[in-house]
């Protein structure tokens, strides 16, 4: 394996060092550095972070907001839990640097209700940073103020979608908004708002301290930096692994100790299902989108049970706002059960459901309905034997 | 003696303000203290924020952690997502159901425990896992799961 630089462990920055460096720079230079790093959002959608910050910084409006998406709910993902447990100070420092960069003095961590037990870790980190003048009023003796509060979710996967998250913070049902306007112009309470994932903010101090050139050297092509992967399922060592972007899925599985692999779910239930002959594919935005969740299935697993589990999840978690997602997931679940029980026996009978999957991808407003058919298409195409070949069209 | 719903809402307003954006925290406070959100609390929140009762109901019914029905003093949420399922969550569910004498979604007659299954709770590396109120329990065995719920007050 090629050399692996571990951002969040081996090169743990001294608390406050990156913030000091950032405050010596202009806000525009901080944004520039993050933009030049090429970092894309670590929450799954992969939007370039610097571009988001640039837009929010340039947006007209006061009371700009820095929001941390800690609503990690993708099945198989637990990296943000670990980051909050172990690196809460670095998370808050990243948010503070973001606040300086876009001209905001207020941050919110939207924490999923399932992680309520992590609140003390955040509260203690905040208290320490305020005592050390690294957060709060007159940070490092200057004129910049920034503070963060934790606000609770209440058990809704869709609130990981940034506009749903904002709706929830505003005390509403967590239903995705129509875009535009984008949150960078009109987000929380119509204020210019950036929403970034926990891991994204944790990366920021490294970029400020070491520079964008250093960050760009990590990774592959336009997919820069490293990425945390939560690995679970049929492996000897489940846990969080940090890899350079562009590593192959096989390299990751070797670290985690996977044997007799039948399939790997990359990016959680909404991601891609790959077969054992695809393990040389690369974790990058150009190949296999590097979502934080990697679930391994060995040959003893019935992939139709896996599909049923995923679709039950989407049926439960669809917010119900768009018809393709609300009804489509129910139909795909019915179909998956019909295949498993032998009620669908030919590829011809599946045609309409592959079309339905396409309609869901095209016709759903947010990422949930746009990605939930992936598991159906992938698993049925790659793993179901029907007369005339596997299930795919 | 627990506080009345209107008292909980009043102190939530004191802590979080009466803006619309404080609704999630108000609901969370009531839900945490009473185990559910009674109609009286819905009316009090609606009055504090200045929206209709229906509006507050529509919000709370969206979120799976909120309930409008009385629940047990303890809420057990067992993860049913795939990694925990592969690690044996079905056996854990069977053990919990038999220990408590109820099915998932039900509350024991003495209101001691409500048993629920839930979507991924982010403990996939240590499954099967469940939350008891806010506390995670990991690498469960059926015996361990029985022991945990038997010990709940």
């Amino acid at each position: 394996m090629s050399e692996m630089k571990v951002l969040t462990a081996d090169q743990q920055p001294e608390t406050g060092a990156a913030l000091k460096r950032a405050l010596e720079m202009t806000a525009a230079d901080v944004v520039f550095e993050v933009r030049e790093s090429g970092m894309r959002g670590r929450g799954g959608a992969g939007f370039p972070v610097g571009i988001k910050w640039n837009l929010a910084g340039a947006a007209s409006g006061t009371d700009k907001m820095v929001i941390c998406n800690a609503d990690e709910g993708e099945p198989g993902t637990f990296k943000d839990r670990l980051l909050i447990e172990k690196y809460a100070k670095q998370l808050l420092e990243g948010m503070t640097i973001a606040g300086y960069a876009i001209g905001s003095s207020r941050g919110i961590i939207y924490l999923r209700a399932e992680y309520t037990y992590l609140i003390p870790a955040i509260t203690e980190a905040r208290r320490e940073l305020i005592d050390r003048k690294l957060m709060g009023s007159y940070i490092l003796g200057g004129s910049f103020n920034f503070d963060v509060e934790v606000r609770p979710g209440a058990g809704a996967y869709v609130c990981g979608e940034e506009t749903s998250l904002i709706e929830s913070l505003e005390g509403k049902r967590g239903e995705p908004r129509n875009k535009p306007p984008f949150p960078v112009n009109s987000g929380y309470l119509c204020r210019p708002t950036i929403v970034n994932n926990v891991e994204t903010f944790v990366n920021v101090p490294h970029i400020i301290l070491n520079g964008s050139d250093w960050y760009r050297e990590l990774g592959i092509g336009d997919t820069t930096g490293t990425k945390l992967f939560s690995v679970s399922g049929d492996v000897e060592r489940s846990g969080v692994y940090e890899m350079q972007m562009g590593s192959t899925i096989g390299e990751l599985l070797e670290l985690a100790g996977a044997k007799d692999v039948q399939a790997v779910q990359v990016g959680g239930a909404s991601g891609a299902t790959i077969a054992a002959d695809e393990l040389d594919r690369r974790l990058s935005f150009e190949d296999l989108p590097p979502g934080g969740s990697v679930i391994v299935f060995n040959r003893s697993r019935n992939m139709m049970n896996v599909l049923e589990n995923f679709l039950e999840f989407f049926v439960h978690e669809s917010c119900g706002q768009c018809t393709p997602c609300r009804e489509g997931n129910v139909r795909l679940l019915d179909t998956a059960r019909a295949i498993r029980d032998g009620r669908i026996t030919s590829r011809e009978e599946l045609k309409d459901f592959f079309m339905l999957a396409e309609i869901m991808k095209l016709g759903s407003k947010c990422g949930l309905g746009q990605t939930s058919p992936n598991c159906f298409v992938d698993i049925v195409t790659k793993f179901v034997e029907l007369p005339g070949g596997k299930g795919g069209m | 003696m627990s506080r009345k719903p209107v008292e909980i809402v009043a102190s939530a307003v004191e802590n979080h303000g009466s803006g619309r954006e404080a609704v999630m925290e108000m609901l969370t406070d009531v839900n945490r203290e009473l185990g559910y959100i009674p109609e009286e609390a819905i009316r009090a929140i609606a009055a504090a924020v200045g929206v209709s009762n229906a509006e507050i109901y529509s919000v709370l019914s969206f979120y799976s952690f909120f309930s409008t029905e009385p629940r047990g003093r303890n809420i057990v949420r067992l993860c049913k997502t795939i990694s925990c399922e592969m690690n044996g969550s079905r056996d854990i569910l069977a053990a919990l159901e038999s220990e408590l004498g109820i099915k998932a979604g039900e509350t024991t007659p003495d209101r001691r425990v409500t048993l629920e299954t839930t979507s991924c709770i982010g403990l996939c590396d240590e499954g099967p896992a469940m939350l008891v109120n806010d506390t995670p329990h990991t690498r469960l065995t059926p015996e361990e799961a029985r022991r945990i719920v038997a010990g709940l007050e």
Side-chain angles (χ1 to χ4, degrees):
Chain A
M1 244 194 75
S2 57
E3 179 196 5
M4 194 175 81
K5 292 181 184 170
V6 179
L7 290 176
T8 46
D10 289 2
Q11 304 187 11
Q12 181 67 9
E14 193 190 328
T15 301
L19 179 61
K20 272 188 199 121
R21 173 80 59 87
L23 294 189
E24 288 161 8
M25 301 160 68
T26 65
D29 283 344
V30 174
V31 173
F32 182 80
E33 205 62 37
V34 172
R35 203 177 66 191
E36 287 301 295
S37 77
M39 178 172 52
R40 295 168 65 160
R42 264 41 182 167
F47 191 82
V49 178
I51 292 176
K52 195 183 263 190
W53 289 18
N54 196 28
L55 290 167
S60 59
T62 51
D63 296 325
K64 292 178 183 176
M65 298 295 301
V66 173
I67 293 176
C68 172
N69 183 343
D71 194 46
E72 174 175 66
E74 188 64 49
T77 317
F78 46 89
K79 65 183 178 68
D80 292 346
R81 184 197 86 216
L82 182 122
L83 287 175
I84 295 169
E85 277 172 352
K86 300 198 168 165
Y87 303 100
K89 280 188 284 187
Q90 200 172 320
L91 163 64
L92 291 172
E93 186 172 342
M95 290 181 72
T96 307
I97 292 168
Y100 177 71
I102 69 161
S104 159
S105 60
R106 214 180 134 197
I108 296 175
I109 297 175
Y110 183 84
L111 185 71
R112 65 187 308 220
E114 292 85 344
Y115 287 175
T116 298
Y117 59 92
L118 297 177
I119 290 176
I122 300 171
T123 317
E124 277 162 33
R126 171 179 171 270
R127 179 48 53 199
E128 184 188 328
L129 293 175
I130 287 175
D131 286 348
R132 294 170 64 179
K133 288 279 168 202
L134 298 170
M135 260 180 84
S137 303
Y138 309 112
I139 292 170
L140 293 169
S143 58
F144 171 55
N145 306 319
F146 188 79
D147 202 354
V148 166
E149 61 176 318
V150 179
R151 301 265 293 270
Y157 166 75
V158 73
C159 288
E161 198 280 338
E162 65 175 9
T163 63
S164 300
L165 186 154
I166 290 169
E167 286 286 295
S168 182
L169 281 176
E170 291 183 355
K172 299 172 189 161
R173 294 166 67 85
E175 291 175 355
R177 291 178 177 175
N178 286 316
K179 294 186 273 195
F182 291 93
V184 288
N185 291 309
S186 179
Y188 178 67
L189 303 177
C190 302
R191 301 167 185 172
T193 302
I194 56 166
V195 182
N196 285 130
N197 172 260
V198 172
E199 186 183 347
T200 305
F201 284 120
V202 168
N203 268 278
V204 167
H206 292 284
I207 293 171
I208 297 302
L209 273 181
N210 300 311
S212 53
D213 289 342
W214 167 82
Y215 196 83
R216 287 198 77 89
E217 278 175 23
L218 301 166
I220 186 169
D222 288 337
T223 309
T224 58
T226 68
K227 180 82 189 73
L228 296 180
F229 296 98
S230 321
V231 184
S232 66
D234 293 317
V235 292
E236 283 164 10
R237 297 173 293 278
S238 56
V240 175
Y241 293 87
E242 182 170 31
M243 306 283 287
Q244 283 200 44
M245 288 289 201
S247 304
T248 66
I249 188 75
E251 287 170 322
L252 176 59
L253 295 196
E254 204 176 308
L255 286 178
K259 284 194 186 120
D260 195 27
V261 175
Q262 174 182 199
V264 186
Q265 187 71 21
V266 181
S270 67
T273 318
I274 62 167
D277 60 2
E278 298 176 86
L279 299 185
D280 56 350
R281 289 184 64 184
R282 291 188 181 281
L283 294 154
S284 83
F285 288 104
E286 285 77 32
D287 186 359
L288 206 50
S293 160
V294 173
I295 309 174
V296 181
F297 306 102
N298 68 24
R299 291 190 193 282
S300 77
R301 306 294 176 180
N302 181 341
M303 292 307 291
M304 290 312 292
N305 289 344
V306 173
L307 178 58
E308 184 181 20
N309 187 291
F310 286 158
L311 289 169
E312 282 172 351
F313 170 81
F314 287 122
V315 167
H316 183 256
E317 298 296 346
S318 172
C319 85
Q321 191 182 186
C322 323
T323 312
C325 175
R326 182 186 64 237
E327 303 299 331
N329 281 306
V330 173
R331 295 296 310 200
L332 293 185
L333 176 59
D334 285 348
T335 310
R337 287 176 175 154
I339 298 170
R340 184 198 57 195
D341 299 343
R343 282 180 280 127
I344 285 181
T345 53
S346 73
R347 301 169 69 208
E348 194 58 30
E349 289 172 81
L350 282 172
K351 221 173 207 169
D352 286 347
F353 298 103
F354 278 89
M355 195 187 289
L356 172 64
E358 277 310 304
I359 290 167
M360 290 167 68
K361 288 181 191 181
L362 292 169
S364 300
K365 190 195 277 185
C366 85
L368 197 161
Q370 290 164 7
T371 58
S372 64
N374 290 347
C375 59
F376 179 87
V377 173
D378 280 354
I379 292 176
V380 172
T381 305
K382 296 176 186 176
F383 299 97
V384 177
E385 293 287 353
L386 291 169
K390 293 198 175 182
M393 290 296 114
Chain B
M1 187 65 199
S2 59
R3 293 190 293 171
K4 291 199 174 89
V6 287
E7 293 168 349
I8 302 170
V9 173
S11 65
V13 168
E14 227 165 77
N15 292 333
H16 313 299
S18 62
R20 175 72 192 249
E21 66 276 15
V23 164
M24 288 293 283
E25 281 164 309
M26 295 181 192
L27 291 168
T28 299
D29 286 358
V30 176
N31 196 62
R32 179 177 303 274
E33 193 160 328
L34 301 178
Y36 77 115
I37 300 166
E39 197 178 319
E40 211 182 331
I42 295 174
R43 290 179 191 281
I45 293 171
V49 176
V51 298
S52 71
N53 300 336
E55 183 68 30
I56 299 300
Y57 180 80
S58 95
V59 174
L60 84 89
S61 61
F62 185 84
Y63 298 93
S64 64
F65 269 51
F66 296 149
S67 169
T68 52
E69 299 297 322
R71 286 185 297 178
R73 294 188 292 283
N74 300 284
I75 297 172
V76 173
R77 294 183 172 94
L78 176 71
C79 177
K80 64 178 173 192
T81 300
I82 191 74
S83 296
C84 282
E85 187 182 294
M86 291 198 293
N87 278 323
S89 65
R90 283 170 195 264
D91 295 339
I92 306 299
L93 181 61
L96 291 171
E97 287 181 338
S98 112
E99 179 69 31
L100 294 167
I102 53 172
K103 295 278 170 207
E106 295 176 352
T107 300
T108 55
D110 60 0
R111 300 269 310 278
R112 193 170 62 86
V113 179
T114 296
L115 177 62
E116 293 180 350
T117 56
T118 183
S119 297
C120 185
I121 53 177
L123 294 164
C124 331
D125 51 338
E126 301 173 71
M130 66 182 182
L131 291 170
V132 177
N133 304 318
D134 292 331
T135 309
H137 294 270
T138 56
R139 299 185 198 280
L140 292 167
T141 60
E143 298 71 37
E144 178 73 359
R146 280 176 186 272
R147 197 189 56 75
I148 291 165
V149 294
L152 296 173
E153 296 288 317

